[in-house]
């Protein structure tokens, strides 16, 4: 009898324990899997201020959710490969992945659709800049929340230059005026590593009046505009430090901060805005500003956007969604702007008088006239082709004809092997056509 009572007691204890454990993992209606109360999240962000911003909220997130978050930071040059290797293996090593907009079409099959989760969460997504929010959709499906919408602009020295140039002819005249290599001073500081060449080429080509392909994806890069854009990049090397062809963003920005260049073509938000007015890091305190690249015929600029997404292979999708929701909130985006200079994706931020009238104001205006790179699956390969063509020309390994023939033939090959979705149009080419009217 005593033995029977003991066995019944043990069964009751086990049942109560199991029930108690089940309460810790309630199912979310309409979502996949169950919501754990603790665990580990792995986040993949680009090295630098983007990864730093993610790390800044890990303690708070753990306090709220019980999840430890490891932020894995990877340089831009190897970021695409790192993410694709994980997607190909379906290992789910990264629960959250920051997706450069030009990779969205390629990455979309490996990302968790977010529309249902957004509806259930009650997020006020209408407060995002509409065009920036919509950019994180592929085939009308939302795959991420926008981060760091950044028009590609240049920085210049206000103690040397009163009004920034409106044409590339003016730009070269100003660069030549301040170019003094014997005294360690150059007209332009450039980020010469390949990964930056695509944007430096596109910002010129689009302003001059053409994309690399027309609205129907026919390659036109070897036309008059494409060749002029390439020639212009070659001219920049006359007024830049010869070592600049091997510089990344950090070296290019540092040269500008140390007063060794009149202009800087590196992204200002990745180091200049954070350090230029810090006397311990800069020799140009209060003597700098941001301006668009020369606007030429269209005034169209190039823009970068990142989409913070959940991996389709994550084993913690609910917690990963909570992470990207927290990271993408207005409160966090304003905090990241104050601490890291990362531009917010919310309309209300750019409408503030103190922002419009600050050194960052031109960036908000730039968002209105900027286009992102292609988002179709071939986009990453296009970047590589463009970088190789520009690099070979700027380093004088190829003549202009050779570089443009390589660019043309390789882009045609890439589009033939990996064609854009049926019935799709090149929206960038259409926007450029409209701007020329």
């Amino acid at each position: 009898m005593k033995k029977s009572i003991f066995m019944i007691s043990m069964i009751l204890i086990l049942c109560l324990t199991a029930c108690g454990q089940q309460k810790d993992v309630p199912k979310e209606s309409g979502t996949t899997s169950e919501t754990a109360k603790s665990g580990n999240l792995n986040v993949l962000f680009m090295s630098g201020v983007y990864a730093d911003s993610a790390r800044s909220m890990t303690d708070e997130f753990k306090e709220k959710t019980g999840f430890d978050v490891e932020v894995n930071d990877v340089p831009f040059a190897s970021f695409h490969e790192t993410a694709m290797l994980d997607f190909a293996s379906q290992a789910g090593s990264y629960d959250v992945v920051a997706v450069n907009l030009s990779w969205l079409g390629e990455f979309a099959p490996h990302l968790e659709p977010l529309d249902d989760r957004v509806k259930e969460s009650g997020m006020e997504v209408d407060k995002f800049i509409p065009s920036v929010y919509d950019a994180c959709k592929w085939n009308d499906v939302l795959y991420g929340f926008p981060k760091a919408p950044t028009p590609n602009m240049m920085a210049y020295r206000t103690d040397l230059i009163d009004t920034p140039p409106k044409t590339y002819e003016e730009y070269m005249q100003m660069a030549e005026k301040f170019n003094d290599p014997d005294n360690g001073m150059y007209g332009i500081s450039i980020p010469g590593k390949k990964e930056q060449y695509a944007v430096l080429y596109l910002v010129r080509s689009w302003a001059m009046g053409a994309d690399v392909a027309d609205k129907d994806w026919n390659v036109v890069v070897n036309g008059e505009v494409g060749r002029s854009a390439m020639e212009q990049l070659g001219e920049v090397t006359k007024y830049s430090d010869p070592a600049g062809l091997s510089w990344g963003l950090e070296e290019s920005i540092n040269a500008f901060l140390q007063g060794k260049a009149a202009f800087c073509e590196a992204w200002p938000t990745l180091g200049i805005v954070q350090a230029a007015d810090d006397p311990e890091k800069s020799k140009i305190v209060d003597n700098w500003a941001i301006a668009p690249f020369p606007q030429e015929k269209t005034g169209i600029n190039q823009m970068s956007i990142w989409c913070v997404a959940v991996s389709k292979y994550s084993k913690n999708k609910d917690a990963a969604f909570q992470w990207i929701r927290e990271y993408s909130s207005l409160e966090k985006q304003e905090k990241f702007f104050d601490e890291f200079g990362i531009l917010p994706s919310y309309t209300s931020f750019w409408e503030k008088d103190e922002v419009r009238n600050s050194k960052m104001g031109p960036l908000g205006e730039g968002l209105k006239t900027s286009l992102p790179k292609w988002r179709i699956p071939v986009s990453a390969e296009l970047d590589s082709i463009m970088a190789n063509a520009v690099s070979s020309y700027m380093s004088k390994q190829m003549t202009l004809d050779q570089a443009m023939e390589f660019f043309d033939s390789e882009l045609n090959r890439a589009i033939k092997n990996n064609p854009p979705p049926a019935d799709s149009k090149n929206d960038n080419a259409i926007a450029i056509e409209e701007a020329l009217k």
Side-chain angles (χ1 to χ4, degrees):
M1 181 70 177
K2 289 182 180 180
K3 184 176 181 180
S4 298
I5 293 173
F6 175 78
M7 291 299 296
I8 291 170
S9 299
M10 289 300 297
I11 291 169
L12 287 172
I13 291 169
L14 289 171
C15 289
L16 289 170
T17 302
C19 291
Q21 288 175 342
Q22 185 64 29
K23 289 179 182 179
D24 285 342
V25 285
K27 286 194 175 183
E28 273 188 19
S29 60
T31 62
T32 60
S33 72
E34 297 173 327
T35 306
K37 292 293 185 180
S38 63
N40 296 290
L41 279 182
N42 280 283
V43 177
L44 182 65
F45 270 50
M46 188 178 90
S47 301
V49 293
Y50 295 162
D52 292 342
S53 68
R55 289 192 182 95
S56 73
M57 61 173 272
T58 56
D59 290 343
E60 179 185 344
F61 190 77
K62 181 176 182 180
E63 187 176 336
K64 284 184 177 180
T65 67
F67 271 79
D68 288 297
V69 180
E70 181 178 350
V71 178
N72 302 268
D73 63 284
V74 177
F76 183 81
S78 53
F79 197 101
H80 176 271
E81 180 183 9
T82 300
M84 282 304 296
L85 285 173
D86 189 59
F87 292 153
S89 69
Q90 301 186 10
S93 301
Y94 308 111
D95 301 286
V96 172
V97 179
V99 181
N100 188 277
L101 190 61
S102 63
W103 308 330
L104 185 58
E106 184 181 10
F107 281 17
H110 307 287
L111 303 175
E112 180 77 359
L114 299 180
D115 294 281
D116 289 344
R117 291 177 181 273
V118 167
K119 289 177 184 177
E120 292 173 6
S121 72
M123 285 183 68
E124 297 179 302
V125 293
D126 59 326
K127 297 191 176 183
F128 284 108
I129 300 169
S131 60
V132 171
Y133 178 76
D134 288 343
C136 289
K137 296 178 180 179
W138 179 252
N139 290 336
D140 294 324
V141 176
L142 181 71
Y143 286 103
F145 298 132
K147 172 178 78 72
T150 310
N152 190 14
M153 292 192 170
M154 60 182 178
Y156 70 97
R157 293 272 297 278
T158 55
D159 55 330
L160 303 177
I161 298 157
D162 293 327
T163 304
K166 299 295 184 185
T167 67
Y168 280 101
E169 183 178 1
E170 289 180 9
Y171 185 24
M172 292 302 97
Q173 290 171 352
M174 293 182 185
E176 182 179 18
K177 177 180 178 180
F178 297 106
N179 200 55
D180 186 9
D182 291 341
N183 291 302
M185 177 70 179
Y186 294 89
I188 304 168
S189 176
I190 59 169
K193 284 189 177 177
K194 284 184 180 182
E195 63 265 22
Q196 295 302 320
Y197 282 149
V199 294
L200 296 181
Y201 177 84
L202 288 176
V203 76
R204 287 163 165 83
S205 180
W206 290 354
M208 292 177 181
D211 195 8
V212 296
D214 66 16
K215 63 182 180 181
D216 295 314
W217 306 107
N218 299 304
V219 176
V220 296
V221 70
N222 201 10
E224 181 181 354
V225 172
R227 294 174 70 89
S228 295
M230 186 72 82
E231 281 187 294
Q232 208 295 306
L233 266 174
E235 194 172 354
V236 167
T237 60
K238 297 178 184 177
Y239 311 115
S240 58
D241 191 325
L245 290 177
S246 63
W247 286 352
L249 292 168
E250 183 177 354
E251 294 88 349
S252 175
I253 287 169
N254 188 60
F256 182 71
L257 295 177
Q258 298 310 308
K260 296 180 179 180
F263 294 94
C264 181
E265 294 200 9
W267 297 86
T269 54
L270 295 181
I272 293 173
V273 300
Q274 294 87 348
D277 285 330
D278 182 346
E280 294 185 1
K281 299 178 181 178
S282 170
K283 294 181 180 178
I284 58 169
V285 174
D286 294 328
N287 287 320
W288 65 280
I290 297 171
F293 279 81
Q295 298 181 327
E296 289 288 339
K297 296 179 180 179
T298 70
I300 291 177
N301 205 343
Q302 193 273 330
M303 170 174 58
S304 169
I305 301 175
W306 289 78
C307 303
V308 188
V310 176
S311 170
K312 180 179 178 180
Y313 312 112
S314 168
K315 299 174 181 62
N316 296 296
K317 291 177 184 176
D318 295 332
F321 177 75
Q322 188 169 351
W323 165 271
I324 67 171
R325 180 182 175 184
E326 293 273 341
Y327 183 90
S328 305
S329 67
L330 175 60
E331 176 190 359
K332 285 292 186 292
Q333 290 210 7
E334 290 189 338
K335 175 178 181 287
F336 298 154
F337 172 77
D338 291 338
E339 295 182 7
F340 305 104
I342 299 172
L343 304 188
S345 305
Y346 287 85
T347 302
S348 60
F349 173 83
W350 295 104
E351 291 177 342
K352 294 179 180 180
D353 287 339
E354 61 267 31
V355 175
R356 284 204 305 261
N357 298 325
S358 72
K359 289 180 177 178
M360 304 293 279
L363 293 167
E365 290 300 307
L367 287 173
K368 300 175 183 177
T369 57
S370 295
L371 299 174
K373 290 187 290 185
W374 293 355
R375 299 182 300 156
I376 58 177
V378 78
S379 296
E381 189 173 2
L382 167 62
D383 281 355
S384 178
I385 293 167
M386 200 173 334
N388 286 328
V390 174
S391 174
S392 297
Y393 177 64
M394 292 184 72
S395 63
K396 297 182 169 50
Q397 296 177 47
M398 287 186 183
T399 65
L400 178 64
D401 286 341
Q402 290 171 332
M404 299 313 295
E405 287 169 6
F406 167 83
F407 198 165
D408 182 272
S409 63
E410 285 297 293
L411 184 52
N412 268 300
R413 176 196 56 75
I415 291 178
K416 180 180 179 180
N417 292 339
N418 195 0
D423 300 324
S424 67
K425 295 289 184 180
N426 181 1
D427 293 335
N428 289 353
I430 293 171
I432 291 167
E433 284 182 10
E434 289 296 318
L436 288 170
K437 292 179 180 178

